Amino acid sequence: MSAEILVLVEHRDGAVLDTTHELLGRARTLAAASGGEAVAVLLGSGAAGLAAGLGAARAIVVDDPGLESFSPSAYQAALVPLVRERQPVIVLISNSGPGMDVAAGLSAALDLPLAAYATDVTMDAQGPLVSSQLYAGKIEAKVRFSGGRGIVTVIAGSFSGDSTAAGGSPAVEVVGAAATDERIRFVGLIRPAAGDVDITRESVLVSVGRGIGEQDNLELVEALAAALGGAVSSSRPIADLGWLPRTRQVGKSGLKVKPKAYLALGISGAPEHLEGMRGAELIIAVNSDPRAPIFSVAHYGAVADLLDVVPALTARLGG
Amino acid sequence: MEYVVLLKQVPDLAEDLAIDGDGTGIDREWLSFVASEWDEYALEEALHLRDATGGSVTCLALGVESGDVSELLATCLARGADRVGKVGSFEHGPDSHAAAAAFAEALRGIPHDLVLTGVQAIDDLDGQVGPLVATRLDLPHVSVVTHIAVADGGGAVTVHQEYAGGVVGEFEVMLPAVLGVQTSREAPRYAPVSRVRQLMKTATIEALDGGGGGGGGGSGSGLVIESMAVPTVGRAAEMITGNPAAIADRIAAILAERGIGSGAAR
Ligand SMILES: Cc1cc2nc3c(=O)[nH]c(=O)nc-3n(C[C@H](O)[C@H](O)[C@H](O)COP(=O)(O)OP(=O)(O)OC[C@H]3O[C@@H](n4cnc5c(N)ncnc54)[C@H](O)[C@@H]3O)c2cc1C
Ligand SMILES: Nc1ncnc2c1ncn2[C@@H]1O[C@H](COP(=O)(O)O)[C@@H](O)[C@H]1O
């Protein structure tokens, strides 16, 4: 075992994603605590230039035309030998779509344990300790690796993404891929059409989840949003149902918002939703379930039926 | 085209969860179970694809004693699956690595062009069963899939993998392959309860070998759970009490303090 903390770099459109900086920040803290090194692993084709901006002691760049864009099979083929050889104590991977693919594949291929849905990773005398969320955030577990090393997939926003504390560029080592796998061919990126409203620019968001019950009830929140001079946003199921456009969706696969005020109405607060809104200045949650995880990020909460509270609030605001 | 869907039941989150006596698991005594949401999307997609390409849909679940796997599988038949099977025999749902080992073993004996799983389930810690199964069978896998179309005369599929901000990556995947389904093109179809009841009495549920039900060659998840807890809800939140009118008054006051809702917003 080496004392290395490996971080898989996620990049798209020629830029490193924020989540990677979050992971690198924590990797440096863990490395400092354990006398190891934070090592960034960047897979790409001609993307070595991105390595200079990474907050790591060392960056290993695997450069191969087959890694031009993300592909689960090509990433796995490139990563397996690297992790096998370096024996890092922890491999940190973002719990994103690609991250979920790669982490589980690595775990199976290397018989290395995987702790998924992590919100915290620390290191003590017994080795890594991971806090993970289960049951859509309703249970928290603390777990260790039986062999003292393993893979962790981390929920976005769990660590601060300050990469300025990095202190200099990493030592960069460029290698070719040992193997690539072309059973999955990247065709292209498809970007969403611009929406009617840009929820990332609104200062007040009235956000609804499955607790709204019926599509017709959306009128109630539209009226509240109008009274507040804000816009309506939603959790994923509401967009999946087609009740609101996808551009109104907040969260992991939706948009990240930071309004002055975020009203979460009938939203349980699954980790994938919290990713998108936990940075709001003021969060007020209304939910009929007193155990809803949204209440652990809200500043104010009320256990109530949103269908009662919303009209009362709109009336109170003179809407 | 032969489609295989892997499904499971998970505890119903509408009910309160409690921690067991050891403090390392959830209390299973009073749990009620529902089908894992994403598995229903996976089945819905499989049924659509089969109707377009021909072939069959086989639904597999692990033979676990907790919950009611027979009801889950009868529901699959009621919705239109062609065949259902229970894999191995377990007291409760095993970790993802053991589940993947059992499914991989069973799949060696079942024709499969496309294996669909739910993108994730809420009840395990060690990651996704789909990629674990795929790696064991040396098949390609894509997670967080939102669109599937059969291409290349049945030799490949075109899929969308979802990223943040609604951006999707399009991939062409050679078959056989494993996909983790995030959502289906239409809401999962309804299965009448009476039909499910009837099928539970009459349908054949095949029993499939899961390689002894244990790790099946792997060494299990390798995770040691030190503790589990129900997080303190409202840790940070100030809870507003009273009737809806009182709650509305208080929320309006909190917003007004910040100049929101007084016409001065934006
Ligand atoms: C890869 C991936 C990406 C994802 N991306 C996103 C994302 O971007 N955004 C997102 O939101 N989710 C995302 N999800 C889904 C996420 O896991 C949850 O399923 C989703 O956030 C749940 O939405 P919800 O809170 O509206 O519904 P539920 O979890 O069903 O919660 C509904 C809530 O409403 C409450 N309620 C019911 N009736 C009332 C009432 N009358 N009054 C008040 N409260 C009531 C209930 O108590 C419950 O808490 C993603 C999942 C995956 C796997
Ligand atoms: N015990 C199980 N029985 C049947 N299917 C399962 C089981 N565990 C996982 N799966 C499948 O794998 C998907 C992902 O679950 P998980 O990897 O457990 O988060 C689920 O949505 C199911 O499709």
Side-chain angles (χ1 to χ4, degrees):
Chain A
M1 192 194 309
S2 77
E4 283 182 352
I5 319 283
L6 231 61
V7 173
L8 176 64
V9 175
E10 219 180 306
H11 57 101
R12 194 164 302 127
D13 290 335
V16 172
L17 304 192
D18 288 350
T19 45
T20 294
H21 293 299
E22 293 171 14
L23 297 183
L24 285 169
R26 178 50 57 103
R28 291 196 303 274
T29 314
L30 291 169
S34 62
E37 238 179 24
V39 178
V41 175
L42 177 81
L43 310 184
S45 174
L50 290 175
L54 298 170
R58 188 175 300 282
I60 299 163
V61 179
V62 183
D63 191 11
D64 188 278
L67 297 168
E68 166 90 53
S69 51
F70 172 73
S71 139
S73 56
Y75 263 51
Q76 173 150 348
L79 278 173
V80 165
L82 216 135
V83 175
R84 183 178 282 137
E85 182 192 322
R86 301 190 79 93
Q87 301 271 306
V89 58
I90 306 177
V91 182
L92 289 178
I93 297 178
S94 166
N95 192 61
S96 61
M100 288 161 82
D101 262 332
V102 167
L106 266 186
S107 173
L110 297 172
D111 213 358
L112 196 57
L114 164 61
Y117 318 110
T119 53
D120 200 11
V121 190
T122 55
M123 190 92 99
D124 61 20
Q126 295 171 58
L129 177 65
V130 182
S131 302
S132 287
Q133 291 192 318
L134 279 153
Y135 301 100
K138 286 201 153 184
I139 301 280
E140 260 168 27
K142 290 206 183 320
V143 292
R144 291 194 186 272
F145 302 120
S146 56
R149 45 190 297 266
I151 305 166
V152 185
T153 54
V154 181
I155 293 172
S158 299
F159 308 129
S160 85
D162 182 14
S163 60
T164 52
S169 296
V172 180
E173 186 187 328
V174 182
V175 296
T180 54
D181 178 339
E182 299 188 344
R183 289 178 296 176
I184 302 181
R185 191 175 65 80
F186 175 77
V187 180
L189 284 182
I190 302 171
R191 290 164 216 279
D196 51 343
V197 169
D198 182 355
I199 59 170
T200 64
R201 290 171 172 276
E202 293 287 331
S203 63
V204 178
L205 288 175
V206 177
S207 208
V208 285
R210 203 138 46 182
I212 189 83
E214 288 170 27
Q215 186 169 16
D216 286 348
N217 294 334
L218 278 175
E219 280 174 19
L220 300 175
V221 288
E222 295 285 358
L224 176 57
L228 286 169
V232 175
S233 58
S234 78
S235 66
R236 171 158 194 139
I238 302 301
D240 279 351
L241 286 163
W243 293 359
L244 285 173
R246 182 72 64 195
T247 46
R248 302 284 187 109
Q249 180 187 320
V250 173
K252 181 194 192 80
S253 47
L255 293 160
K256 204 178 216 171
V257 297
K258 265 197 176 175
K260 279 208 177 75
Y262 188 86
L263 271 62
L265 310 173
I267 293 178
S268 61
E272 294 87 2
H273 187 77
L274 302 188
E275 265 186 35
M277 46 63 74
R278 64 186 323 149
E281 281 173 43
L282 171 70
I283 300 169
I284 303 176
V286 179
N287 195 301
S288 49
D289 175 6
R291 301 250 201 154
I294 191 75
F295 291 129
S296 32
V297 300
H299 303 102
Y300 294 91
V303 177
D305 189 331
L306 77 95
L307 299 177
D308 295 331
V309 173
V310 169
L313 182 55
T314 309
R316 178 75 180 66
L317 294 162
Chain B
M1 290 269 291
E2 302 300 320
Y3 301 91
V4 178
V5 185
L6 311 183
L7 304 98
K8 79 195 288 191
Q9 288 185 317
V10 295
D12 186 353
L13 289 186
E15 319 243 329
D16 278 350
L17 301 178
I19 303 300
D20 66 9
D22 295 349
T24 58
I26 62 164
D27 192 345
R28 298 182 173 272
E29 192 160 5
W30 302 110
L31 282 183
S32 58
F33 288 85
V34 293
S36 177
E37 178 178 349
W38 292 287
D39 299 3
E40 307 218 57
Y41 299 139
L43 173 58
E44 186 61 30
E45 275 303 288
L47 295 172
H48 272 281
L49 291 166
R50 177 208 56 194
D51 292 347
T53 63
S56 77
V57 173
T58 303
C59 292
L60 300 181
L62 291 185
V64 290
E65 281 167 31
S66 47
D68 195 341
V69 176
S70 302
E71 186 182 335
L72 174 73
L73 293 174
T75 308
C76 295
L77 288 171
R79 287 190 168 142
D82 300 281
R83 227 177 279 138
V84 295
K86 258 187 217 183
V87 178
S89 147
F90 300 82
E91 203 178 323
H92 334 288
D95 63 58
S96 301
H97 285 70
F103 281 129
E105 193 53 42
L107 282 165
R108 290 182 208 280
I110 300 175
H112 52 276
D113 296 302
L114 198 55
V115 179
L116 301 181
T117 72
V119 60
Q120 64 180 33
I122 54 171
D123 63 341
D124 49 37
L125 271 174
D126 61 333
Q128 287 63 47
V129 166
L132 294 170
V133 169
T135 305
R136 281 180 168 267
L137 294 175
D138 193 23
L139 301 179
H141 54 83
V142 183
S143 300
V144 202
V145 166
T146 54
H147 163 90
I148 310 170
V150 175
D152 193 21
V157 284
T158 301
V159 303
H160 290 174
Q161 178 174 60
E162 203 173 41
Y163 305 134
V167 176
V168 301
E170 182 168 288
F171 295 95
E172 193 171 271
V173 187
M174 279 165 64
L175 299 182
V178 181
L179 304 177
V181 176
Q182 165 77 12
T183 188
S184 49
R185 64 195 78 191
E186 270 170 39
R189 62 196 66 185
Y190 178 72
V193 180
S194 56
R195 177 97 182 102
V196 174
R197 290 270 147 72
Q198 184 201 348
L199 281 163
M200 280 173 77
K201 292 194 200 112
T202 57
T204 315
I205 296 180
E206 283 171 63
L208 298 156
D209 187 17
S219 53
S221 78
L223 290 184
V224 183
I225 297 180
E226 212 166 74
S227 63
M228 271 197 195
V230 177
T232 354
V233 152
R235 217 174 5 211
E238 180 185 323
M239 298 306 283
I240 306 168
T241 52
N243 62 20
I247 292 169
D249 280 351
R250 182 79 179 100
I251 295 177
I254 294 161
L255 292 170
E257 272 168 37
R258 289 167 170 77
I260 298 166
S262 53
R266 283 179 201 252

